[in-house]
Amino acid sequence: MEDRPSVSELLEAVAAFLREQVVPATEGRVAFHARVAANTLDIARREVQGGAAAQARELNRLQALLGEQMPGDLHAANRLLCERIAAGQIGPGTPALVDHLRQTTRDQLAIDQPGYASGTPEN
C-alpha cells in the first residue's frame, strides 16, 4: 500500500511553505530562522531519501577494510576503525582507508550540502 503523502513529500511541502510564505512575510530574526528551518527540513528529506543506502555502502566498505572481526553495527564498526587508526594498524598508506573516507564524505555531503561538490549551492 502506498501511503501518500510520503515523509519526503511532507518535508518538502513544509520547507516550501517556510520559503514561499513565511520568509517573505517576516524579517530579521524570524525570517532567518525560517530559512534555517527550511534548510533543516531539506537535509532531513535527503536523509530519508538516501541515508539508509549511504549507510549500507559505508558498512560494506568498512567490512572490506576491517575484515571478519568487524561488528555488524555501523557505530561500532566506525569505533573499531578509529581504534585501528589510533593503534597504527591502518593509516594514510592504506588505499582502502582513503577511498572509504572520501566516499563517506561525498555521501554525507550529498545529504548535507548537495551543491557543495558541484560548486553550486542548493539554496
Side-chain angles (χ1 to χ4, degrees):
M1 177 172 99
E2 185 178 4
D3 196 16
R4 300 287 309 264
S6 68
V7 171
S8 182
E9 291 168 331
L10 290 170
L11 293 169
E12 185 175 10
V14 175
F17 166 74
L18 289 169
R19 277 194 192 88
E20 296 165 12
Q21 302 294 318
V22 177
V23 170
T26 59
E27 56 186 42
R29 187 175 177 91
V30 173
F32 170 76
H33 284 288
R35 283 191 302 276
V36 169
N39 289 339
T40 301
L41 291 168
D42 289 336
I43 292 169
R45 178 180 46 80
R46 291 187 297 267
E47 181 72 37
V48 165
Q49 291 172 331
Q55 288 182 352
R57 289 189 302 272
E58 180 179 3
L59 197 57
N60 285 337
R61 287 190 306 274
L62 285 167
Q63 176 67 47
L65 187 60
L66 299 172
E68 298 167 5
Q69 299 172 348
M70 190 197 89
D73 168 82
L74 184 58
H75 181 73
N78 274 308
R79 187 176 32 224
L80 179 59
L81 176 63
C82 290
E83 290 169 3
R84 289 195 180 169
I85 291 170
Q89 297 169 347
I90 297 175
T94 308
L97 173 65
V98 175
D99 292 342
H100 167 69
L101 295 174
R102 282 189 179 137
Q103 189 55 52
T104 301
T105 301
R106 280 190 210 103
D107 285 347
Q108 193 61 52
L109 280 172
I111 292 169
D112 293 344
Q113 291 289 324
Y116 183 81
S118 68
T120 48
E122 184 174 87
N123 293 319

